[in-house]
Amino acid sequence: MAINESQLTDWISQLDSSDGEIRQSARHQLVQAGSDAVPALINALDHSSETMRWEAAKALGEIRDPAAVEPLIEILADDDSVRFVAASALIGMSNDSVPALLRALINEPARFRDGGCFVLHHLASDDEKLREPLTPVVEALMSLDSSLLVPVESEKALSKLK
């Protein structure tokens, strides 16, 4: 569905409305717009409003466009409610999100520790093919030596998934 810039801008701004029905309606319209809305939603992830970031992450999770994976990983370091929505979106896009999340954990294990642990634990629990490579990463994320172990275990997991 092609949308015009003006309508897209209106829907994005409505994601920060104090009225929940307006936010939900705008999110629904953006999800219906699909990939056309993804760049604007990715930009909304940087907004100062937690509500805006939450709604944008929720919409991106429903659209499931691979272009949103890395921006969603970036907000795993956000406040708890936004982190949870971003993590849920990444779980829904597991085929695209796992390699990118493992690379993020190699580079910045402390920054993505909590959100990464949530995503990978969930995926390892639900997907038999991911259990073996991801379980050591989850264990490393929960260890006292996580900053040392996570990059090593993430590299091993990436190799096993290739």
Side-chain angles (χ1 to χ4, degrees):
M1 162 180 159
I3 55 174
N4 67 51
E5 279 304 308
S6 174
Q7 187 61 67
L8 181 63
T9 301
D10 287 347
W11 289 332
I12 292 290
S13 68
Q14 290 169 6
L15 292 179
D16 198 30
S17 172
S18 60
D19 184 325
E21 289 182 27
I22 291 173
R23 288 194 313 271
Q24 185 175 359
S25 176
R27 182 170 20 95
H28 176 75
Q29 294 299 324
L30 289 160
V31 169
Q32 292 301 309
S35 295
D36 289 342
V38 169
L41 287 165
I42 289 171
N43 286 338
L45 294 175
D46 290 330
H47 198 275
S48 61
S49 164
E50 182 177 341
T51 301
M52 174 75 80
R53 294 190 311 275
W54 190 97
E55 291 287 354
K58 180 81 170 162
L60 288 166
E62 292 177 34
I63 295 170
R64 294 187 179 192
D65 188 310
V69 167
E70 291 192 22
L72 286 166
I73 289 170
E74 283 297 314
I75 64 167
L76 285 177
D78 206 311
D79 296 328
D80 289 342
S81 66
V82 176
R83 179 184 318 140
F84 177 78
V85 174
S88 296
L90 291 165
I91 289 166
M93 297 188 280
S94 64
N95 291 340
D96 295 311
S97 66
V98 168
L101 180 54
L102 290 171
R103 286 190 297 275
L105 287 168
I106 290 166
N107 295 322
E108 297 183 77
R111 182 167 179 229
F112 302 114
R113 181 180 175 183
D114 293 340
C117 188
F118 180 85
V119 172
L120 297 179
H121 180 269
H122 187 85
L123 292 171
S125 298
D126 287 352
D127 188 331
E128 184 113 3
K129 290 181 278 187
L130 294 175
R131 185 169 297 132
E132 192 263 329
L134 295 184
T135 297
V137 181
V138 172
E139 291 170 355
L141 284 162
M142 295 190 290
S143 78
L144 294 175
D145 294 328
S146 64
S147 61
L148 300 173
L149 297 174
V150 170
V152 173
E153 294 302 332
S154 295
E155 284 278 359
K156 289 179 188 175
L158 268 176
S159 293
K160 289 177 184 176
L161 291 171
K162 287 183 180 174

